[in-house]
Amino acid sequence: MKYNQFCPVAKASEILGEKWTFLVIRELLMGARRFNELQRGLASISPTMLTKRLNELTNDGLVIKKKIRGQKGYEYFLTEAGNELSPIIKQLGIWGTRWARGQMANSELDVDLLMIYLVRSIKSEKLIGDETIIRYNFTDLKKLNHWWIVVRKNDIDICVEDPGREVDVWFTVDLRTMIEVWMGDRTYKSAIREGKLKLVGHPSLVNNVTSWLSNSVYMEYRSAIDI
């Protein structure tokens, strides 16, 4: 995509203006390194399109790919130029929260993306003991309705099959409510009070969830349309 202008905004748009590019950079900024990790955070992207965008970002100097030692495939890392997009991505998210997000359509309620974000939001250093098992039961889903997160110090795994360990805290909730709570549209207390969310587990985990599970970085920003 060429604009044939010397303006820096036009030149930047030639690199960043293609569909999926900002979201690929978002996932790299949030720690995704391998192709399958990027695909998980971008569930609707085709492998062909993801490959194309990664190659374009590599050719434009925003990404470097390194062969995985002893394995097939590559890992992808942002260069200095790519990392300098971090505040731009955050500001784009703030703008989206204020002016574009609005009411979530059912088609936008993505349980895979939510679970990725929940895993990234866990403060493992705030959890007691060597291992904590967190279970999510989504009452409105017929598929992918049971999830387990296994937290061990610096290692966090996510499962859709029972890992066979004792659960420390249970979340029973519909998908929309859990997304709204994590995004900061409603609080845990209000969701529990309204019967939308049921939390069961040790009081140290249940009574102060936000001490070990962060909300979205955009929760402090409210929609300008609602103000």
Side-chain angles (χ1 to χ4, degrees):
M1 184 166 59
K2 295 292 183 180
Y3 294 108
N4 297 318
Q5 293 187 344
F6 62 81
C7 169
V9 175
K11 297 302 292 180
S13 297
E14 289 177 357
I15 297 173
L16 302 171
E18 297 284 0
K19 185 177 181 180
W20 293 107
T21 298
F22 270 121
L23 298 186
V24 172
I25 294 168
R26 178 199 70 187
E27 290 303 300
L28 290 168
L29 284 168
M30 297 185 74
R33 293 289 174 263
R34 301 191 178 190
F35 194 89
N36 62 333
E37 293 172 344
L38 290 162
Q39 277 192 303
R40 284 205 62 197
L42 305 166
S44 297
I45 196 171
S46 70
T48 301
M49 178 61 72
L50 179 54
T51 299
K52 182 179 180 182
R53 290 292 175 261
L54 287 169
N55 287 338
E56 290 169 348
L57 289 169
T58 300
N59 293 336
D60 287 325
L62 277 70
V63 168
I64 184 171
K65 66 178 184 179
K66 295 185 176 182
K67 193 81 171 67
I68 301 172
R69 184 177 298 178
Q71 300 181 40
K72 294 182 179 179
Y74 295 87
E75 288 186 318
Y76 298 87
F77 300 88
L78 289 169
T79 63
E80 180 181 4
N83 278 305
E84 281 193 9
L85 290 168
S86 179
I88 296 172
I89 295 290
K90 183 172 182 180
Q91 192 60 44
L92 190 63
I94 293 170
W95 186 91
T97 299
R98 286 178 51 75
W99 297 105
R101 186 164 165 259
Q103 178 65 30
M104 287 184 292
N106 288 335
S107 60
E108 297 172 336
L109 304 180
D110 185 339
V111 67
D112 274 306
L113 186 62
L114 172 64
M115 295 309 299
I116 290 171
Y117 282 161
L118 290 175
V119 166
R120 291 170 177 171
S121 301
I122 291 173
K123 306 174 189 175
S124 56
E125 73 278 5
K126 298 292 185 180
L127 296 171
I128 300 171
D130 294 329
E131 183 178 83
T132 302
I133 310 297
I134 306 158
R135 178 167 178 175
Y136 286 85
N137 296 326
F138 292 102
T139 56
D140 58 325
L141 299 183
K142 294 181 179 179
K143 296 180 179 179
L144 297 176
N145 54 333
H146 300 303
W147 296 76
W148 290 260
I149 299 176
V150 181
V151 185
R152 305 183 195 89
K153 297 301 180 182
N154 297 323
D155 182 41
I156 303 179
D157 291 325
I158 187 168
C159 315
V160 292
E161 295 184 3
D162 191 344
R165 295 180 176 86
E166 183 177 354
V167 174
D168 296 290
V169 57
W170 298 63
F171 290 72
T172 301
V173 62
D174 65 271
L175 179 57
R176 179 179 290 274
T177 296
M178 193 63 229
I179 292 174
E180 290 176 345
V181 169
W182 183 76
M183 288 294 298
D185 296 330
R186 65 166 73 204
T187 64
Y188 283 97
K189 287 183 179 179
S190 68
I192 292 170
R193 184 172 59 250
E194 295 168 17
K196 298 279 190 177
L197 167 65
K198 184 177 181 181
L199 271 175
V200 177
H202 193 279
S204 65
L205 296 173
V206 169
N207 293 341
N208 193 12
V209 176
T210 54
S211 68
W212 56 269
L213 182 63
S214 299
N215 288 91
S216 166
V217 296
Y218 302 113
M219 72 168 295
E220 63 184 282
Y221 304 100
R222 307 273 31 102
S223 171
I225 299 171
D226 298 334
I227 295 174

